[in-house]
Amino acid sequence: MNIIVCIKQVPDVDDIKWTKENNLDRNNMLSKINPYDEYALNAAIKIKSRFKEAKVTVISMGPKQAQDVLNFALAKGANRAILLSDKAFAGSDTLATSKILAAAIKKYCPDFSLILTGQMAVDGDTQQVPLSLAQLLEIPEITNITEICNADKNVAIVSVKTDLKIDIYEINTPCLLALKTECEENYIPKIDDYIRAQNIPIEEYDINDIGINKEDVGVIGSPTMVYRAFRPEIHKDTKEIKEDITKKILDFLLKVDNK
Amino acid sequence: MKKILVYGELNSKDNTIEKVTFELLNKARRLSSEAKELKQDEEYIVEVVFCASYLVDDEINKAFKAGANRVVLIKDSVFDTFYSTVYADAFLEYFDKNPSDIILFPATPKGRLIAPRVTVQLDTGLVADCIEAEFVLKNDKLLFAPTRPTFGSELMATILSKKAPYCATIRKGVFKTDFSNAKTGEFVEYTPISYHEDRIKLIKTILNKDKNDVDFTNAKVVLCGGYGLYSNKSDEYYKKLKKLAKITDSFFGVTRKVVDFNLAEQKYQIGQTGSTVQAKLYVAFGVSGAIQHIQGMKNSKTIVAINTDENADIFKYSDYKIVADAKKVIDDLLIYFDIKI
Ligand SMILES: Cc1cc2nc3c(=O)[nH]c(=O)nc-3n(C[C@H](O)[C@H](O)[C@H](O)COP(=O)(O)OP(=O)(O)OC[C@H]3O[C@@H](n4cnc5c(N)ncnc54)[C@H](O)[C@@H]3O)c2cc1C
């Protein structure tokens, strides 16, 4: 049973730095595995622990530095790591990214049962790549998963918990599952794990290896482009209330048309 | 004539139109007049498309009032259960025969599943989770330009697409509704021929008993507690604020940090990853004003913030600034009501 986990290296959004021109100062920002992808990875490793023949393959598209998150995933227990890296991929939007991932999966890991992803990436938060990938591979998906109850070669049972209800779904493989919350214990790799992981070379593929058209990737292959980026401006004429605070708040509360 | 298509969402219980659909229709109508102002020969009609087994006349009329020139029902009982593949395939089948230039999807759980499936098959772009949309005139061409928050909302990005149809998902609660459109239009039913059978089965639904629905859609007053109300390792002040909300017929809300520390349930969370509110009055008690939170409340009419830190970011977004201990303010307010009741 082959399980694929798609992971993304993201800047730490709690540590955003800006250049003078209001661009992201990526060079001076820390980067880490997208936290939602880590939920997916943990879930995959948990499934693997139940089946002797199960294998977890992690795939990341990104610059060479994305090796860091792949090594981290290997240390956590993944069996195989694939890095999709090429200058031509830079600037890929969600459609182009999904095409690259889909092409690579078809070529290097076509016999998968499950693809696990995070629900979103904290740096982009479009939530579009999992669905686009599922569409390109023509497989069904379940998103916003809060728990993978069971999964084997043929079928997965997952639950989606919201404030109102818990839906339990059965889905035939191959399929894509996007995780929204932490549902398995988060194992933090030890030095020994990293040493073991060193024995697994990261497979690296570029545009020619994957065999995808230049016209489909990167800036050229991305139908969307940023027209302008700005930091939200605020123009508020703020008045300060210094006295009779309780009374003034009461006035607000009682005077508002509250019907 | 060009066309803006709104992907309509219905309440799965009774097939009434969800408010977000009216919001998008109003926006689409405004976009259409904006286009005409910028470029005279540019005219867009507004079409709304629903996938459902039925749609009653009342709802159809509401859609016209909200701004639609054309209401389409893709009709099949298969839609009684939601599967993204089935919906997307049927929608595409219709769309192939009735193309439009722009598609607006709601950024709801369902909209977010359908939109990428549709746009991937159309091999076009999709701008996610937009909070604004406009036209820009560039080299004498009108371009559809939606804006979305990115990088945890630290940055706003206006995105253009190179290829039609131009597609975006739009957050609910960011645009107003308006039912003043006097003209009715054409109602069309379409029967899909082919759709994908799905490989998913809903095997069981369990009610999440300890949780009730909190729907901020019609909230007039919101009292929001931030992490600043946390004291003595207890949720005492969140309970007090909830009580105050109850007495004053207001809604109780919290920030994500409060949820993360298990001081209140997620359903009360306001912000980018919680609910969006458009209250008449929004009062923040001990909220710092992180941009992800601001996203969810900034369209409120009057914003009052109480914070001990006079430089707290929340004040930048507030109409009224109160530098004070929010806990004491809550206590004082409760005393007032205790006396009155
Ligand atoms: C991807 C992403 C999505 C997010 N989505 C959301 C979201 O949807 N909603 C959301 O709210 N957050 C969200 N966040 C988190 C957000 O960044 C902030 O961490 C969070 O909003 C902070 O909550 P807070 O203001 O309650 O806490 P803090 O930032 O800790 O602020 C507490 C405030 O209380 C004040 N204070 C302390 N004591 C008192 C007192 N006695 N009286 C008055 N004031 C006092 C302090 O001065 C401070 O300003 C998100 C973050 C990320 C990365």
Side-chain angles (χ1 to χ4, degrees):
Chain A
M1 175 189 192
N2 283 317
I3 307 167
I4 296 174
V5 185
C6 300
I7 59 180
K8 183 180 186 190
Q9 188 178 41
V10 295
D12 192 338
V13 283
D14 293 331
D15 179 54
I16 293 187
K17 300 211 170 55
W18 303 93
T19 63
K20 271 193 228 129
E21 296 79 34
N22 252 349
N23 287 323
L24 281 175
D25 187 5
R26 282 183 188 262
N27 295 334
N28 287 310
M29 287 180 3
L30 301 168
S31 54
K32 58 173 189 183
I33 180 170
N34 174 40
Y36 295 93
D37 298 346
E38 195 170 358
Y39 306 158
L41 179 61
N42 294 344
I45 288 166
K46 179 74 189 225
I47 300 169
K48 181 187 112 163
S49 72
R50 295 198 206 115
F51 297 95
K52 243 191 180 155
E53 39 29 292
K55 265 176 80 178
V56 174
T57 301
V58 284
I59 299 187
S60 187
M61 185 203 90
K64 295 266 191 264
Q65 300 93 283
Q67 281 178 341
D68 294 349
V69 290
L70 290 170
N71 276 320
F72 175 74
L74 288 170
K76 282 185 79 132
N79 304 83
R80 184 179 171 205
I82 296 175
L83 175 63
L84 311 174
S85 197
D86 197 305
K87 278 207 185 86
F89 295 164
S92 293
D93 70 358
T94 55
L95 182 67
T97 302
S98 308
K99 283 183 180 171
I100 295 165
L101 289 170
I105 288 171
K106 279 183 186 158
K107 180 147 184 194
Y108 298 108
C109 206
D111 55 344
F112 65 89
S113 304
L114 298 172
I115 298 179
L116 266 51
T117 70
Q119 179 65 28
M120 62 177 102
V122 288
D123 60 343
D125 188 24
T126 68
Q127 308 191 20
Q128 279 170 193
V129 172
L131 260 295
S132 307
L133 184 58
Q135 183 59 51
L136 289 164
L137 294 169
E138 296 185 42
I139 55 172
E141 89 295 333
I142 297 181
T143 60
N144 287 307
I145 293 171
T146 47
E147 194 185 343
I148 298 183
C149 313
N150 205 351
D152 62 28
K153 233 185 183 141
N154 304 314
V155 57
I157 296 174
V158 302
S159 72
V160 176
K161 182 174 169 186
T162 62
D163 282 335
L164 280 177
K165 56 180 183 155
I166 305 164
D167 285 330
I168 299 172
Y169 293 98
E170 188 184 289
I171 180 167
N172 290 346
T173 65
C175 64
L176 182 142
L177 307 176
L179 277 98
K180 186 179 160 186
T181 53
E182 177 92 80
C183 59
E184 295 301 338
E185 203 182 317
N186 186 24
Y187 176 70
I188 296 159
K190 315 235 160 35
I191 298 207
D192 281 356
D193 298 313
Y194 281 102
I195 294 172
R196 182 181 42 77
Q198 275 180 352
N199 295 324
I200 311 173
I202 294 176
E203 298 165 45
E204 226 182 283
Y205 302 113
D206 64 16
I207 184 165
N208 296 322
D209 298 325
I210 301 171
I212 187 168
N213 288 332
K214 230 181 163 158
E215 291 70 40
D216 281 334
V217 302
V219 177
I220 314 167
S222 296
T224 62
M225 58 194 170
V226 177
Y227 168 64
R228 63 166 185 247
F230 57 97
R231 298 178 72 182
E233 269 179 58
I234 335 147
H235 325 264
K236 274 261 177 175
D237 168 24
T238 309
K239 298 185 190 68
E240 185 162 357
I241 300 176
K242 288 190 168 155
E243 281 151 22
D244 297 333
I245 292 168
T246 314
K247 190 180 163 295
K248 295 232 168 84
I249 295 180
L250 273 172
D251 279 353
F252 283 128
L253 284 173
L254 301 175
K255 274 189 195 146
V256 127
D257 154 32
N258 204 0
K259 261 143 224 136
Chain B
M1 194 133 42
K2 293 191 168 180
K3 190 156 87 185
I4 304 178
L5 189 157
V6 170
Y7 181 86
E9 187 157 322
L10 300 173
N11 185 315
S12 54
K13 283 194 203 93
D14 55 9
N15 280 15
T16 51
I17 300 175
E18 293 282 2
K19 190 172 170 219
V20 62
T21 303
F22 298 130
E23 292 166 2
L24 297 196
L25 280 173
N26 182 33
K27 181 65 195 177
R29 192 171 139 204
R30 292 207 329 252
L31 277 168
S32 140
S33 11
E34 201 179 292
K36 221 171 160 183
E37 272 165 36
L38 286 167
K39 212 166 174 266
Q40 278 184 358
D41 53 343
E42 206 94 346
E43 210 167 327
Y44 286 83
I45 66 155
V46 177
E47 171 181 277
V48 59
V49 177
F50 298 96
C51 293
S53 54
Y54 68 94
L55 191 63
V56 299
D57 286 351
D58 262 9
E59 296 299 313
I60 297 168
N61 288 334
K62 271 192 229 160
F64 286 127
K65 286 205 179 93
N69 305 112
R70 191 176 136 99
V71 178
V72 178
L73 172 64
I74 304 180
K75 192 173 170 181
D76 197 307
S77 58
V78 70
F79 300 126
D80 287 343
T81 319
F82 178 82
Y83 293 120
S84 64
T85 46
V86 175
Y87 272 59
D89 288 356
F91 177 82
L92 273 165
E93 190 193 304
Y94 168 79
F95 189 86
D96 277 345
K97 294 174 190 156
N98 304 272
S100 71
D101 306 88
I102 294 171
I103 311 178
L104 306 180
F105 295 92
T108 52
K110 287 178 190 166
R112 282 189 171 136
L113 296 178
I114 294 161
R117 288 211 176 260
V118 167
T119 52
V120 161
Q121 293 184 73
L122 295 171
D123 199 36
T124 192
L126 175 61
V127 189
D129 239 349
C130 300
I131 53 161
E132 187 48 275
E134 67 200 302
F135 281 112
V136 293
L137 200 55
K138 221 176 142 187
N139 304 330
D140 201 39
K141 271 183 97 175
L142 264 194
L143 304 173
F144 178 61
T147 296
R148 69 180 304 263
T150 173
F151 283 97
S153 301
E154 293 275 346
L155 189 68
M156 296 295 144
T158 303
I159 313 271
L160 297 180
S161 294
K162 294 178 205 160
K163 256 167 106 171
Y166 307 99
C167 304
T169 63
I170 303 215
R171 292 203 73 177
K172 66 177 190 182
V174 295
F175 297 117
K176 304 222 154 63
T177 56
D178 177 358
F179 295 96
S180 64
N181 188 24
K183 278 185 259 165
T184 62
E186 180 188 15
F187 173 68
V188 182
E189 272 186 18
Y190 177 83
T191 311
I193 315 162
S194 64
Y195 40 78
H196 228 251
E197 272 303 315
D198 222 308
R199 287 165 282 182
I200 306 171
K201 246 196 341 235
L202 176 62
I203 48 180
K204 202 170 180 179
T205 292
I206 309 165
L207 286 184
N208 202 353
K209 260 191 249 138
D210 45 28
K211 292 178 179 179
N212 286 315
D213 192 11
V214 179
D215 184 2
F216 283 102
T217 318
N218 297 314
K220 295 247 166 90
V221 182
V222 176
L223 308 181
C224 181
Y227 191 66
L229 293 183
Y230 183 47
S231 69
N232 300 326
K233 302 204 164 139
S234 104
D235 59 356
E236 178 190 351
Y237 277 91
Y238 302 100
K239 289 202 177 118
K240 284 187 173 169
L241 189 62
K242 210 172 182 176
K243 190 169 164 197
L244 185 64
K246 202 166 172 206
I247 300 171
T248 55
D249 207 7
S250 316
F251 278 69
F252 167 72
V254 293
T255 61
R256 176 154 122 182
K257 196 159 167 187
V258 173
V259 175
D260 287 346
F261 280 80
N262 274 323
L263 298 162
E265 291 158 71
Q266 210 270 332
K267 63 180 175 179
Y268 295 114
Q269 184 188 316
I270 291 167
Q272 188 196 334
T273 45
S275 300
T276 303
V277 303
Q278 266 186 34
K280 289 214 166 123
L281 173 67
Y282 175 93
V283 191
F285 295 84
V287 174
S288 63
I291 190 74
Q292 297 90 348
H293 183 75
I294 300 297
Q295 278 311 318
M297 46 60 84
K298 65 168 185 216
N299 287 336
S300 297
K301 194 147 177 263
T302 304
I303 298 173
V304 181
I306 308 159
N307 198 303
T308 43
D309 173 7
E310 63 168 324
N311 295 317
D313 281 339
I314 185 86
F315 291 138
K316 288 194 259 172
Y317 305 90
S318 304
D319 301 286
Y320 295 94
K321 162 178 181 174
I322 300 173
V323 181
D325 179 353
K327 288 181 254 183
K328 181 156 184 313
V329 174
I330 292 176
D331 283 331
D332 289 347
L333 288 166
L334 282 172
I335 288 169
Y336 170 84
F337 284 107
D338 276 347
I339 291 168
K340 242 186 102 179
I341 289 166

